[in-house]
Amino acid sequence: MGEAVTGRPGRRPGRSGSREAILRAARLKFAEYGYERTTVRGIAREAKVDAALVHHFFRSKEGVFAAAVHEAVRPMELRPVLAGDPATLGERLLTTVLGLWESAERHDALLAVVRSAVSHETAAGILREFLGREVLGPLAQALAEPQRALRSALLGSQLIGLVMARYIIRVEPLASASTPSLIAVYAPVIQNSLTGDLPLPRTSTTSQRPR
């Protein structure tokens, strides 16, 4: 015998699928409206749940966005890339990042996060803190070279610049270049940032974890 539904119209009982539906709705709203114009109520309407359920799972719009960032990047998938020969780390990282952006499953999620981050300081701060803690920090710790934090920050700037030019602004010929050709051009540059000689002077801040 089926359960009687006694909640408000549109509310999903229990946890079944609700969190995932909210995240899917949030990605659509962040991609379409950016961070500032996206609201918890709008996300709830898109997900066909009560706004109270969004607060239950994520507490706030900031919490929804932070979860969307984590789901888009999935840092645990990047950790195996840090293992292996340091001499080919740049190529492995670049191949992984380009593969994520060119994945039909992940492209829209990443696009929503980046578009929100470049249009609103709160979203930018959430993404910056996440990347420092979950991506650039572990990368710095994995490097055996001096100036580890500086090297991981340089890598981050290079990858973010490439992503912006290729996938967001779509600057030609980068936007239409083949993935193998981009890897052939960029991988040595990234590798030099990770393990090559850096002409920049060392300071006390270069040993700190990227923020």
Side-chain angles (χ1 to χ4, degrees), residues 77-171:
E77 294 181 6
L78 298 176
R79 302 294 165 80
V81 179
L82 302 181
D85 186 357
T88 58
L89 177 57
E91 181 177 348
R92 295 199 305 276
L93 285 167
L94 181 58
T95 300
T96 300
V97 169
L98 293 178
L100 291 177
W101 274 94
E102 289 165 16
S103 162
E105 177 192 0
R106 303 288 279 281
H107 179 273
D108 290 347
L110 290 165
L111 189 64
V113 164
V114 173
R115 282 182 173 171
S116 294
V118 298
S119 64
H120 198 277
E121 177 55 33
T122 297
I126 293 170
L127 179 59
R128 183 168 56 245
E129 194 277 334
F130 173 86
L131 291 176
R133 183 185 69 247
E134 300 290 348
V135 180
L136 299 182
L139 172 62
Q141 294 302 315
L143 291 174
E145 305 293 332
Q147 299 175 284
R148 295 182 299 176
L150 175 59
R151 291 176 187 277
S152 66
L154 287 172
L155 167 75
S157 70
Q158 290 160 346
L159 290 179
I160 290 169
L162 177 57
V163 163
M164 290 295 296
R166 180 170 170 83
Y167 301 107
I168 308 299
I169 305 174
R170 299 194 59 78
V171 175

Side-chain angles (χ1 to χ4, degrees), residues 54-92:
V54 180
H55 289 287
H56 169 73
F57 284 120
F58 303 103
R59 297 183 179 273
S60 63
K61 183 169 75 171
E62 290 86 349
V64 180
F65 184 72
V69 170
H70 192 280
E71 181 64 19
V73 179
R74 301 180 193 174
M76 292 306 295
E77 294 181 6
L78 298 176
R79 302 294 165 80
V81 179
L82 302 181
D85 186 357
T88 58
L89 177 57
E91 181 177 348
R92 295 199 305 276

